């Protein structure tokens, strides 16, 4: 078993997943868990965080066995843009509404990719905004306004 973590592609990915899952779990512990029939606000975050920690553990072990080295350098700009898009989504959903928040999320995160095609981004934004509205607002009746202009 190769135990070198630094420069091990899968082991680093596993550690990132474990860290993100642990952070999510710590945050979710503040919310009521509920039961399977009456889920509390902390039910899904805890379950998803535990799944992320589990997947991270599997990927970490796989990485330690295979020892695939990281090729190239860290892509800091895409990482920062994807993180920024998530923060913008969280900040914009109550102030601007679901549709503008999804548009911000898609546009900023798409700019993090290798290719940015405005037409494809616009189509993806429209499809994802309609999907999010159909699932979360109309399907699950979550209290998110589609458009809001409250600053």
């Amino acid at each position: 078993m190769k135990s070198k973590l630094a420069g091990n592609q899968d082991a680093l990915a596993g550690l990132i997943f474990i860290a993100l899952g642990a952070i999510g779990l710590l945050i979710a512990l503040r919310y009521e868990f509920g039961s399977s029939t009456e889920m509390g606000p902390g039910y899904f975050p805890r379950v998803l965080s535990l799944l992320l920690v589990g997947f991270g553990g599997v990927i970490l072990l796989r990485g330690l066995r295979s020892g695939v080295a990281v090729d190239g350098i860290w892509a800091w700009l895409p990482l920062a843009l994807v993180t920024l898009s998530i923060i913008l989504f969280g900040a914009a959903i109550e102030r601007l509404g679901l549709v503008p928040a999804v548009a911000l999320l898609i546009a900023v995160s798409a700019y993090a990719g290798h290719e940015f095609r405005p037409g494809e981004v616009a189509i993806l934004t429209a499809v994802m905004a309609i999907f999010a509205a159909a699932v979360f607002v109309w399907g699950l009746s979550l209290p998110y306004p589609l458009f809001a202009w409250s600053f």
Side-chain angles (χ1 to χ4, degrees), residues 9-89:
Q9 181 177 325
D10 288 338
L12 289 175
L15 287 175
I16 290 171
F17 287 173
I18 290 171
L20 290 176
I23 290 169
L25 186 61
L26 285 175
I27 293 171
L29 288 175
R30 289 190 243 163
Y31 301 106
E32 181 183 345
F33 185 74
S35 65
S36 295
T37 55
E38 293 185 26
M39 297 175 200
Y43 189 91
F44 271 114
R46 285 187 201 178
V47 170
L48 292 177
S49 296
L50 288 173
L51 284 172
L52 189 58
V53 169
F55 283 128
V58 170
I59 292 170
L60 173 65
L61 290 176
R62 186 176 141 208
L64 291 175
R65 287 186 182 165
S66 67
V68 176
V70 173
D71 187 24
I73 59 171
W74 284 82
W76 292 107
L77 181 61
L79 180 63
L81 286 174
V82 169
T83 304
L84 177 66
S85 70
I86 295 169
I87 292 170
L88 283 174
F89 177 81

Side-chain angles (χ1 to χ4, degrees), residues 102 106 120-134:
V102 168
I106 301 273
E120 291 179 2
V121 172
I123 292 170
L124 180 63
T125 298
V127 170
M128 291 306 295
I130 292 169
F131 177 77

